[in-house]
Amino acid sequence: MRVEENQLKAFILDSGLLTPDKLVKAEQESAKLKKTLREVLLNKALIKEEELLHLEAYILGIPFVDLSKETVDPEILHIIPEPIARKHNVVSFKKSGTNLEVAMLDPGDLQTLEFIRKKEGLRILPRLTTPDSVKHILKQYQKSLEAEFGEIIKKDIGDAALKFTKGGGEELEAEAEDLKKMAEDLPVIRIVDTLIRHAILQLASDIHIEPQEKEVLVRYRIDGILHDAMTLPKQIATGIVARIKVMANLKLDEHRLPQDGRFKIETEEYRFSFRISVLPVMEGEKIVMRLLPEGAKGFSLEELGFLGVNLDRIHKAIKRPTGIILATGPTGSGKTTTLYTILEMLNTPGVNISTIEDPIEYRIPRINQTQVRPDIGLSFANGLRTLLRQDPNIIMVGEIRDNETAALAINAALTGHLVLSTLHTNSAAGALPRLIDMKVEPFLIASTVTAIISQRLVRRLCPGHDKYQFSATEVASLKKDIDLERVINMLKSEKAVDAKAAAEKIEWGRPKKTDDCPEGYKGRVGVHEVLEMSESVKELLMKNATSDDIEKRAKEEGMLSMLDEGFIRAAQGVTAIEEILRVTSE
């Protein structure tokens, strides 16, 4: 049920929306760009989207509806689950007997219509609508976390809390059997499920459940920033902890020692792995849950944010059959994602790839992944020693933490393997003194390490962001902290700005707060620097030079620093200057 281009052209001419010569030009543009006629008409603003949708609805014989100012009965709205509505841009808005009217952007999506029909046993009547209408209705789904918990608290938490306390309100030191019963209580299950569901819908990377003196604070990390999500009554803290421990198969009656575990959630809409960390704190047990989407499509280095000379250096390093590629940066800076992306690029039938990780964050087909188990003696060093007997071509070591692992990684590179690993340093140049601190000889580092990546994650600006220019005062202030002249020259060499642009004339991205983007940001992208082990850098290393000296030499040889790459992204409108300074300032 799609509109053919010939039909569309005929109806456009009949309706007088375009003159014949303009339509011919649009067709030529369509063939040249290998895009559909519809895309060209909208991109060139030759026809308004609403006019085109009205026309398509007429051609298909499907009514057109405008819901941009309508409010839908919640009972009818929730006939289609929110994740399906969001994924397929389809919303239900009217029900008459066994007929359900649904508004959608693609009436040809028969699979979704059939799913709704089978699930609800209703006759589905599709209607064509605008993207703005769908967005407006989708907002009505989002019952706030407070509202949803308000209902749970009224209905169930009062009864559940009574089971967790004595008459005077003093908390019980519950036995394992009691804790198991708490974890199976319907109110507790609903609370934990709701917290997880909202975290997934809000694209959170972590859930923090923190017991306070009189309440339980729930926070979500979204785009790298923690946000308060909810406060819950202190009485139910024990039940929440017990529920999550049961899901992660942890010891219910262990409250004094930290515990780590995992579990999975699979629905028709999404699949997530959860990494759980339980830590005893003053007021009870704090839980942090890391959300890891499964089955997510692989990234390319360009999608991760690599550009220019940094991208060239990575491609050069991974083409070599031997050597060490290191990814550095703080926890949560995307090091593992970068290494996984490189592994997927190298993952061909002609090579054997093995990894030793802690933890295994994503499973990759055709790659042999091993989980570190210190409790049974399977450390990075022991695992790497065994991997070398598994006839690998490429090895990934989750992290180089000690002298033994570093020595084995160096030895693996010397004996004909390509080794990928991570290291906790703040800059690419800082990785070299760090390896020397681990008692690795400088000449061994110089002969094996080929490239060192350092990275941070910055928040992306939402579409429709603002632009602004620096004032003379701001330029003077920036010059005190950074080499602005070098940055501007780098922008010009990367063609991010005009070759004659002055600092005050360059337009930079700035967040614009909207209903869809409350903070002006959505999603993240990496900013990187890639240190190539040139002959001059090797010479400095052999002389035990400082990381500052090495970084200075690398910049002289054309290294694009994180700050440089960040300013390029700000000039392109991908992120904002304040974001770059936030993540790169030490």
Side-chain angles (χ1 to χ4, degrees):
M1 199 161 48
R2 296 187 186 279
V3 177
E4 297 295 329
E5 289 214 346
N6 286 335
Q7 283 181 301
L8 186 60
K9 285 188 287 185
F11 276 88
I12 287 173
L13 291 172
D14 285 348
S15 62
L17 288 173
L18 270 186
T19 58
D21 59 323
K22 284 188 178 179
L23 187 58
V24 169
K25 283 183 182 177
E27 279 186 275
Q28 291 169 346
E29 188 84 5
S30 167
K32 182 181 173 184
L33 299 176
K34 293 183 179 177
K35 290 185 175 180
T36 64
L37 179 62
R38 187 184 197 280
E39 288 173 318
V40 171
L41 292 172
L42 292 176
N43 290 344
K44 296 282 184 182
L46 295 171
I47 296 179
K48 291 180 182 176
E49 186 172 25
E50 192 168 334
E51 290 176 334
L52 196 57
L53 286 167
H54 270 287
L55 195 61
E56 288 173 334
Y58 180 75
I59 295 168
L60 294 170
I62 295 172
F64 176 87
V65 290
D66 181 2
L67 303 174
S68 57
K69 296 179 182 175
E70 300 295 320
T71 302
V72 178
D73 182 338
E75 283 190 21
I76 294 171
L77 182 66
H78 284 84
I79 289 174
I80 300 177
E82 184 178 358
I84 291 174
R86 288 185 180 280
K87 185 176 179 181
H88 298 282
N89 286 310
V90 53
V91 290
S92 49
F93 66 95
K94 190 175 181 183
K95 184 170 177 277
S96 307
T98 57
N99 292 335
L100 179 69
E101 292 186 49
V102 299
M104 55 202 308
L105 301 182
D106 179 13
D109 187 359
L110 301 177
Q111 192 176 353
T112 302
L113 293 176
E114 183 62 13
F115 170 80
I116 299 165
R117 186 188 68 77
K118 283 183 178 177
K119 181 177 177 290
E120 300 300 329
L122 297 169
R123 181 167 172 251
I124 307 301
L125 306 175
R127 306 288 184 249
L128 198 60
T129 192
T130 63
D132 286 342
S133 291
V134 172
K135 278 183 189 174
H136 175 71
I137 303 301
L138 285 176
K139 282 180 193 170
Q140 297 175 36
Y141 264 107
Q142 189 62 31
K143 186 188 288 183
S144 72
L145 199 53
E146 286 84 356
E148 195 156 342
F149 269 108
E151 292 176 12
I152 294 175
I153 288 165
K154 284 175 193 171
K155 291 179 185 175
D156 302 311
I157 286 184
D159 295 336
L162 290 173
K163 299 174 187 176
F164 303 162
T165 58
K166 291 180 184 176
E170 182 187 345
E171 291 192 12
L172 288 165
E173 188 64 42
E175 299 295 330
E177 197 59 38
D178 298 329
L179 289 167
K180 192 173 181 185
K181 286 178 183 175
M182 287 181 194
E184 291 168 356
D185 253 15
L186 187 60
V188 173
I189 292 172
R190 286 186 64 197
I191 291 164
V192 174
D193 286 354
T194 303
L195 285 174
I196 289 172
R197 181 166 53 80
H198 274 267
I200 290 170
L201 289 172
Q202 293 181 44
L203 305 177
S205 62
D206 301 84
I207 304 171
H208 290 236
I209 300 171
E210 305 170 357
Q212 310 289 311
E213 186 178 356
K214 295 180 180 178
E215 61 195 11
V216 177
L217 176 64
V218 179
R219 299 196 286 172
Y220 292 159
R221 188 177 293 280
I222 301 168
D223 294 337
I225 308 290
L226 274 171
H227 300 268
D228 287 3
M230 187 64 202
T231 54
L232 297 169
K234 181 65 184 287
Q235 303 97 302
I236 61 166
T238 308
I240 292 173
V241 171
R243 174 63 186 162
I244 294 169
K245 282 184 176 179
V246 165
M247 293 169 80
N249 199 25
L250 300 177
K251 293 179 182 176
L252 284 170
D253 54 353
E254 178 56 79
H255 307 293
R256 298 170 301 169
L257 294 173
Q259 295 188 74
D260 294 306
R262 301 177 74 100
F263 66 83
K264 274 188 185 183
I265 288 182
E266 294 189 23
T267 71
E268 290 177 346
E269 295 85 44
Y270 48 73
R271 289 170 56 208
F272 275 81
S273 280
F274 290 78
R275 209 169 76 209
I276 311 303
S277 174
V278 183
L279 177 71
V281 293
M282 186 71 179
E283 303 296 340
E285 290 174 276
K286 177 187 173 182
I287 292 179
V288 175
M289 305 164 71
R290 167 67 56 87
L291 283 70
L292 302 166
E294 291 201 345
K297 72 174 184 71
F299 295 103
S300 67
L301 290 173
E302 290 85 351
E303 286 172 323
L304 294 181
F306 284 93
L307 53 80
V309 67
N310 285 343
L311 186 60
D312 295 338
R313 289 179 172 188
I314 289 293
H315 280 296
K316 184 178 172 183
I318 64 179
K319 283 176 184 173
R320 298 183 61 167
T322 64
I324 298 176
I325 298 172
L326 293 172
T328 71
T331 301
S333 61
K335 301 186 297 294
T336 306
T337 301
T338 297
L339 292 188
Y340 278 164
T341 300
I342 293 172
L343 284 182
E344 288 192 342
M345 292 169 66
L346 297 169
N347 189 11
T348 60
V351 296
N352 174 24
I353 304 177
S354 295
T355 74
I356 177 87
E357 305 173 56
D358 183 24
I360 297 171
E361 295 202 6
Y362 299 103
R363 288 169 176 78
I364 309 175
R366 296 180 64 91
I367 290 182
N368 310 290
Q369 297 172 268
T370 302
Q371 169 72 51
V372 165
R373 291 283 304 278
D375 53 324
I376 58 171
L378 179 54
S379 63
F380 277 120
N382 290 341
L384 180 51
R385 194 177 285 110
T386 305
L387 287 190
L388 291 171
R389 296 194 287 272
Q390 287 278 312
D391 185 32
N393 300 99
I394 300 162
I395 297 168
M396 181 181 122
V397 184
E399 186 184 343
I400 294 177
R401 293 178 180 171
D402 52 44
N403 166 255
E404 191 178 6
T405 311
L408 284 165
I410 294 280
N411 185 58
L414 287 171
T415 54
H417 304 88
L418 181 61
V419 180
L420 284 71
S421 190
T422 69
L423 204 61
H424 280 287
T425 61
N426 287 328
S427 66
L432 299 173
R434 178 81 180 95
L435 287 171
I436 292 172
D437 286 344
M438 292 182 183
K439 312 298 181 193
V440 180
E441 293 290 344
F443 74 91
L444 289 174
I445 300 170
S447 57
T448 54
V449 176
T450 56
I452 304 169
I453 306 161
S454 186
Q455 65 183 75
R456 303 287 189 276
L457 292 176
V458 295
R459 292 181 292 172
R460 282 181 181 272
L461 291 171
C462 292
H465 56 80
D466 285 335
K467 290 183 178 181
Y468 76 108
Q469 295 174 333
F470 287 149
S471 65
T473 309
E474 286 172 322
V475 170
S477 176
L478 275 171
K479 281 182 177 177
K480 292 177 185 176
D481 300 317
I482 61 175
D483 186 349
L484 191 58
E485 190 175 330
R486 179 184 179 278
V487 169
I488 300 297
N489 289 334
M490 196 65 76
L491 287 172
K492 291 175 182 177
S493 67
E494 291 292 329
K495 297 181 180 175
V497 298
D498 188 80
K500 296 179 181 178
E504 293 88 348
K505 298 296 180 183
I506 296 171
E507 289 193 330
W508 309 95
R510 172 184 274 172
K512 182 179 181 180
K513 297 180 180 181
T514 64
D515 291 340
D516 292 333
C517 269
E519 295 190 6
Y521 296 101
K522 191 168 187 179
R524 289 189 290 174
V525 67
V527 289
H528 314 82
E529 60 189 26
V530 180
L531 173 64
E532 191 174 45
M533 290 296 287
S534 65
E535 289 304 318
S536 59
V537 170
K538 288 178 183 178
E539 285 174 19
L540 286 174
L541 177 64
M542 299 298 286
K543 294 174 184 174
N544 286 326
T546 65
S547 59
D548 288 342
D549 291 336
I550 292 169
E551 185 170 325
K552 184 180 177 184
R553 178 64 58 85
K555 286 181 178 178
E556 287 170 1
E557 294 179 350
M559 182 179 81
L560 205 62
S561 72
M562 281 185 283
L563 195 65
D564 298 335
E565 197 174 88
F567 269 74
I568 290 170
R569 290 303 189 191
Q572 292 172 337
V574 174
T575 189
I577 295 290
E578 51 263 40
E579 263 298 285
I580 299 304
L581 297 178
R582 178 180 70 83
V583 301
T584 57
S585 58
E586 294 177 11

